[in-house]
Amino acid sequence: MERVRTRFAPSPTGRMHVGNLRTALYAYLIAKHEGGDFLLRIEDTDQERFVEGALEIIYRTLEHAGLKHDEGPDLDGGYGPYVQSERQKQGIYMEYAKKLVEKGEAYYCFCKKERLDSLKQVVAGKEISIYDKHCLHLSKEEIREKLDAGVPYVIRQNVPNEGTTKFEDDIYGTIEVPNAELDDMILIKSDGFPTYNFANVVDDHLMKISHVVRGNEYLSSAPKYNRLYQAFGWEVPVYVHCPLITDEEHHKLSKRSGHSSYEDLLEQGFLPEAIVNYVALLGWCPTDNREIFSLEELVEAFDYHHMSKSPAVFDIVKLKWMNGEYIKAMEDDRFYEMALPYIRKAISRELDFKKIAQMVKTRIEILPDIPELIDFFEAVPEYDSGMYTHKKMKTTEQSSLEVLQELLPVLERQEDYGNDALYGLLTEFAKERGYKNGYVLWPIRTALSGKQMTPAGATEIMEILGKEETIARLRAAVKKLEN
C-alpha cells in the first residue's frame, strides 16, 4: 500500500480512556508524519455496551485534542459507511463470512449454549473454552436443513489443529503460536452482528488501512488476524502494538485511579495540549529525550519504531509538572480567561483579577491550585501568631509588633499605593532604621495574608488590596500581637 492510512476505531462505551486517546494519537501521528490519512470508524457492533452520549464524547475529545480526522461518519472519503452497525445492515460482514465458508476457512456452528458450556475447562486457574469443531463435520444437506428451519447459528473460523501461525509486529517482532492453542473464534454472532475481530479485518482491508495501532493486550489475538488475511488472500497491514499503561502501583490504569480518562484530566484542570504531549510519551521516546512538544512538533518527530515494549507508568506528578510548563508559556490573555472562574471561586470582592492571575501564573501546575493560593484576598484566615517568627528574617512576634506599630502611621500618610511606590517607601524605611528588607516585609506579608507562602510579595499584595484594606489588616495584626 503506497499511501499511509491509519484509523481510530473506538466503541461508544463512555469516556475516552487514556489508553484509547494514545491509540488515536499514535495513529494520527503515524499518518500525518507520512502525509497520509487518519480515519475515524465507530465500532458499535456490541450493542449491549453502547452508552448514550458516548458518540458525542468521541467527537468532542478528538476535536479538543486536535486530532482532526480526514474521513469518518461525518466526512465520507469514499470508503463509508464508517459506522459498523450501518455496514452490518448492508450485509458486508455476512457476505465476507460466507466467502470464507465457501473456501472451507469458516463454517456454520449450531451448537446450543448447554453444549458449549460443557466444553469449558479450567487451565492455570482461568476458565477457557476451546471449541471441538463439532459442527465442522456437518454435511451440506444437514447445514441446509438447519438453515431452512431457522436454527440459530454462528459462523466460526476454521483453524487447523496442526502446525503454527506466525505474526510479525513492528514493535514486538515475530510471534509464533501453536495452532492447537487457537480457538475457532466466532466471526458472525447469532444476532447477525460480526465480532470485533472479524469486523476489524474486513473493514481495515476495505478501507485500505496500512497501519493498525492498538494496545498490546490484543497481541494474543494477532495470529488469528493473520489467518483471516491469509484465508482471504489479502495483504496484511503493519501492526503496531502499544505497551500497557499502568498506574504508579504498576497496575493497569483503571477508573479507580481517578485520572484514567481524558475528561477526568480536563475536569482536574489539565490543559488539552499538555495531556496530548504527555500521552505521546507513554510508550514512545524521541531520540534526543526532549519532553515538551506541540502537536505539530510531534507530527514531525514521531517515529513509531522508537516505541517501548515495557509498560508505561502514568505519573500524575510528571503530568502536573508538564502542565505547569504549559501554563507558564501560555499567552497572558488566554491564561486570564481560563483562570478567572477559579479566581472568582475564591474572591467575591472587586479587585484587580488580571494582576492576581499574573501572580499565580508561574506558581501553579493545574488551574484548581489557584483558589488556595489567593483566598486570603477575600479575608485573612485564622492563623497562629507564631508565624511572625522567622529565623532567616530574624523576626519574632515582638519585633514584628514593633515594626508594624512603627509602619502604620507611615502607611496611613502614604497616598500612592502602587507597587513601586510602596516598595520604595518600605525599603527606605528599613534602610533608615538599619533593618534588612525582609525584617520589615515579612511581618507585613504575614499580617496581610495569614499565610507563610503567598504568590506575591508584600507590596504587590498591598497594591491589590488598596490602602483602606491594607491599613485595616495591619491594625488587626497589631491587636492580635498585643494580645
Side-chain angles (χ1 to χ4, degrees):
M1 298 179 184
E2 293 182 2
R3 186 171 182 83
V4 171
R5 285 171 63 83
T6 65
R7 49 76 170 172
F8 176 51
S11 298
T13 57
R15 291 188 166 193
M16 190 179 293
H17 189 275
V18 166
N20 287 338
L21 176 62
R22 183 186 62 177
T23 298
L25 175 60
Y26 283 6
Y28 175 87
L29 295 176
I30 289 171
K32 296 306 165 185
H33 183 77
E34 298 295 338
D37 303 319
F38 172 61
L39 284 66
L40 173 63
R41 188 172 74 221
I42 303 300
E43 300 192 342
D44 62 345
T45 54
D46 191 344
Q47 298 290 296
E48 291 182 3
R49 296 180 63 220
F50 181 85
V51 173
E52 196 68 39
L55 275 174
E56 289 73 18
I57 290 175
I58 291 169
Y59 283 113
R60 185 170 65 243
T61 300
L62 292 179
E63 181 182 6
H64 214 244
L67 308 182
K68 181 174 171 50
H69 53 277
D70 301 292
E71 298 176 28
D74 55 339
L75 287 169
D76 194 335
Y79 295 91
Y82 295 85
V83 178
Q84 284 189 341
S85 59
E86 295 177 16
R87 297 173 70 79
Q88 188 268 341
K89 289 176 184 176
Q90 292 185 356
I92 293 173
Y93 307 115
M94 184 63 78
E95 174 191 345
Y96 280 92
K98 287 182 177 179
K99 285 183 179 181
L100 292 183
V101 171
E102 290 169 7
K103 298 174 72 172
E105 297 286 352
Y107 58 94
Y108 292 97
C109 174
F110 301 92
C111 290
K112 295 182 179 179
K113 183 178 182 300
E114 293 76 18
R115 183 175 190 283
L116 295 174
D117 286 343
S118 72
L119 299 175
K120 291 179 180 178
Q121 53 186 296
V122 177
V123 177
K126 185 178 181 181
E127 188 177 69
I128 63 170
S129 178
I130 302 291
Y131 187 64
D132 60 359
K133 294 182 179 290
H134 175 76
C135 289
L136 175 63
H137 309 293
L138 294 174
S139 66
K140 288 184 178 180
E141 291 74 22
E142 288 175 305
I143 293 171
R144 175 48 52 197
E145 183 180 328
K146 290 178 182 294
L147 290 175
D148 290 344
V151 177
Y153 67 88
V154 300
I155 296 179
R156 291 182 180 272
Q157 183 180 12
N158 184 15
V159 179
N161 292 327
E162 304 78 26
T164 62
T165 296
K166 288 185 179 180
F167 176 81
E168 295 294 330
D169 180 83
D170 266 27
I171 306 302
Y172 290 85
T174 302
I175 298 167
E176 188 169 359
V177 181
N179 288 336
E181 294 181 8
L182 298 178
D183 188 28
D184 284 3
M185 70 174 178
I186 294 173
L187 306 180
I188 300 293
K189 296 179 286 187
S190 58
D191 59 4
F193 277 83
T195 56
Y196 172 86
N197 291 326
F198 183 59
N200 265 336
V201 168
V202 172
D203 288 343
D204 286 343
H205 172 74
L206 296 179
M207 294 181 180
K208 297 186 177 179
I209 300 302
S210 65
H211 293 68
V212 174
V213 182
R214 59 183 192 167
N216 70 358
E217 65 266 29
Y218 295 108
L219 266 174
S220 61
S221 63
K224 297 180 184 180
Y225 280 57
N226 256 27
R227 296 208 66 87
L228 284 173
Y229 279 104
Q230 291 166 4
F232 280 118
W234 293 341
E235 183 179 352
V236 181
V238 175
Y239 274 86
V240 182
H241 285 92
C242 308
L244 179 70
I245 299 176
T246 73
D247 59 21
E248 291 89 339
E249 304 298 321
H250 301 287
H251 300 133
K252 186 175 180 181
L253 190 66
S254 67
K255 290 181 180 180
R256 291 191 301 273
S257 71
H259 48 259
S260 65
S261 79
Y262 180 75
E263 290 198 342
D264 289 339
L265 295 171
L266 289 181
E267 290 169 359
Q268 290 166 26
F270 290 96
L271 303 174
E273 53 267 46
I275 299 171
V276 169
N277 187 162
Y278 183 71
V279 167
L281 301 177
L282 290 175
W284 170 78
C285 183
T287 53
D288 58 0
N289 292 318
R290 180 179 166 189
E291 292 188 302
I292 304 296
F293 290 87
S294 67
L295 184 58
E296 293 74 19
E297 290 167 337
L298 282 171
V299 168
E300 181 70 26
F302 191 79
D303 181 351
Y304 69 85
H305 295 95
H306 293 150
M307 284 169 55
S308 171
K309 297 178 186 177
S310 303
V313 177
F314 191 100
D315 184 348
I316 194 72
V317 174
K318 180 70 174 288
L319 175 57
K320 283 184 177 181
W321 166 81
M322 184 174 284
N323 201 70
E325 294 302 301
Y326 271 88
I327 287 175
K328 289 173 189 171
M330 191 183 294
E331 290 183 0
D332 290 344
D333 287 345
R334 183 187 171 206
F335 177 72
Y336 175 66
E337 185 179 333
M338 297 186 75
L340 189 57
Y342 295 91
I343 294 173
R344 291 193 181 279
K345 280 183 182 179
I347 305 171
S348 62
R349 48 199 312 188
E350 288 304 315
L351 297 175
D352 191 332
F353 289 164
K354 284 197 172 181
K355 283 185 179 177
I356 292 174
Q358 281 304 299
M359 281 183 178
V360 300
K361 187 180 177 191
T362 60
R363 291 171 170 81
I364 63 169
E365 292 184 321
I366 53 175
L367 295 169
D369 288 343
I370 292 174
E372 189 176 354
L373 282 178
I374 63 170
D375 55 5
F376 67 87
F377 280 111
E378 179 74 6
V380 179
E382 285 296 322
Y383 66 96
D384 192 304
S385 58
M387 283 176 55
Y388 286 97
T389 299
H390 194 297
K391 289 183 180 180
K392 186 177 178 182
M393 305 297 180
K394 297 182 179 178
T395 62
T396 64
E397 290 182 45
Q398 184 58 37
S399 69
S400 295
L401 173 60
E402 291 168 1
V403 166
L404 293 178
Q405 287 173 330
E406 286 184 74
L407 267 174
L408 265 171
V410 176
L411 290 170
E412 285 170 343
R413 292 193 296 270
Q414 177 72 8
E415 293 300 326
D416 187 348
Y417 262 65
N419 178 54
D420 293 342
L422 286 168
Y423 188 77
L425 175 72
L426 294 177
T427 52
E428 184 62 29
F429 173 87
K431 183 178 178 182
E432 288 176 359
R433 287 158 179 76
Y435 300 150
K436 288 189 175 181
N437 289 346
Y439 191 81
V440 174
L441 296 173
W442 176 262
I444 297 174
R445 191 162 69 90
T446 302
L448 296 177
S449 69
K451 294 191 173 190
Q452 288 186 322
M453 301 291 292
T454 58
T459 55
E460 293 171 284
I461 295 171
M462 293 166 73
E463 179 181 43
I464 289 175
L465 288 174
K467 181 175 180 177
E468 183 179 342
E469 181 66 16
T470 294
I471 297 300
R473 292 191 181 194
L474 293 179
R475 285 175 179 164
V478 168
K479 280 187 179 181
K480 183 181 186 75
L481 287 167
E482 286 175 340
N483 295 330

